[in-house]
Amino acid sequence: MPSPFTDAFHAIHDRFFIDGAWVLPARAGTRDLVSASDETRLTTISMGSEVDVDRAVAAAGKALPGWSGRPLAERIGLLERLLAIYTERYEELARTISLEMGAPIDLARNAQARTGLTHLKSFIDLLGRFDFAEEIGTEAAPETVLHEPIGICGIITPWNWPMNQMMAKVVPALGVGCTVVMKPSEMAPLSAMLVAEMIREAGFPAGVFNLVNGDGVGVGEPICRHEDVAMISFTGSTGAGVAVSRTAAATVKRVVLELGGKSPNIIFADTDLEAVVRTGAAACFRNSGQSCNAPTRMLVERGAYDAAVGIAAEEARRTAVDLPEKPGDHIGPLVSRAQYDRVQALIETGIAEGARLVAGGTGKPPGFERGHFARATVFADVESTMAIAQEEIFGPVLAIQPFDTEEDAVRIANDTRYGLNAQVQSADRARALRVARRLDCGMVQINGAKRGPMAPFGGYKHSGNGRESGIWGLREFLEIKAVSG
């Protein structure tokens, strides 16, 4: 794929965006970004330190009074300007995402970059209708609840859906009057840097948005423990989320976590089996399986189980694997060598534990000697005690289990430490709703329903706390003040 980087953008890859300008890091330290598809170097970024975080937080603190005091209409106006620039540079952004994380270009255009645009539009609309001062008292005893910006927000985003997570956090934070210090994933930081440049171009005041590249130890931890940072919004693995919570606890700041998932897709025999199994398997493999809410566990009613296994295996075999720059419906490489090795190890574990491999398996697809390409893989006869039924693999691997009764389906679905998303497929809508109410998860999709941009995104148990999107995502960045009298 031709590089999407303009000379001007490429020139800032070694810099951080602090106090309205692209600045050099305080200390030497770099990381090469490597192509997921051919393992060649794409570019080199600087890796930040606590000194860079301190500079960014200081800039955010200096900007906070003026920014939070601006009329809401002015903040919305700047977000609308950002929306226009985002739209103008949409193709550049999509190609950057495809290049940095290996997403197929059509997926990058139609989903990855699109989610950022959707969040921008949705929050702009919501901000214009949000009541920042609610009257809850009576005429005799007036009381008002004020919703005020919480302050400086530390935002840490992942590599798998970089624009979705960045815009779901940054837009509401800026919109309500907070200032931001952001650390994107060091594996896919370029799209975030491109949006930082868009923010500069839109004319946001210096210090309102700041970006420091680096890893968790060098940049993430200093953000989390900084006394002046009022809240942390983090998306990533459950293990990293636990570390974020521990580090942030000493300064009693708010922590919002969107973590891992092992989402069940419950399929009853009364549904259109061919359609729902193919759709479910394809959703598992989408983005090369690198989505926290992917339906990676398919639970099928016993009478339809054998047929479902055959359909899922066929869908895996027909799932094309190709280079990210190629147009069309296919999956690309995994993001890194480490991720590829993890997926391969868990496929091997599934085989060793006795699950029946019906499609895919270890190794790369034919024709791919370089790059982090994995095969779309399906296991049948999986048991809940197996690692592939419990661990978030984050690769194109589907685990299928049978169930006998509605009670059985709910028990198996809830038998995991995660609780992010679930799907229920049944012609009996009353049954589907009944099952949905009993699932320990933050989101349920019935019969293929799509999630709307205003629906809250988040989970139960080890899938995190707090919510993104809609009014719930806006409130995460607001403090509550009760005024009586």
Side-chain angles (χ1 to χ4, degrees), residues 32 109 198 202 252 265 341 377 389 421 436 473:
D32 286 341
R109 287 193 188 107
M198 295 179 193
V252 198
N265 183 5
D341 290 343
T377 296
N421 193 44

Side-chain angles (χ1 to χ4, degrees), residues 16-20 23 49-64 152-153 179-183 206-213 219 223 226 228-229:
F16 306 145
F17 189 71
I18 298 176
D19 205 15
V23 300
S49 65
E50 187 163 3
V51 178
D52 301 298
V53 170
D54 288 342
R55 293 166 67 194
V57 173
K62 183 176 66 175
L64 182 61
I152 302 172
C153 300
T179 56
V180 167
V181 176
M182 177 178 167
K183 186 197 91 67
V208 166
F209 175 84
N210 306 272
L211 182 150
V212 180
N213 281 323
V219 174
I223 291 175
H226 202 291
D228 294 335
V229 173

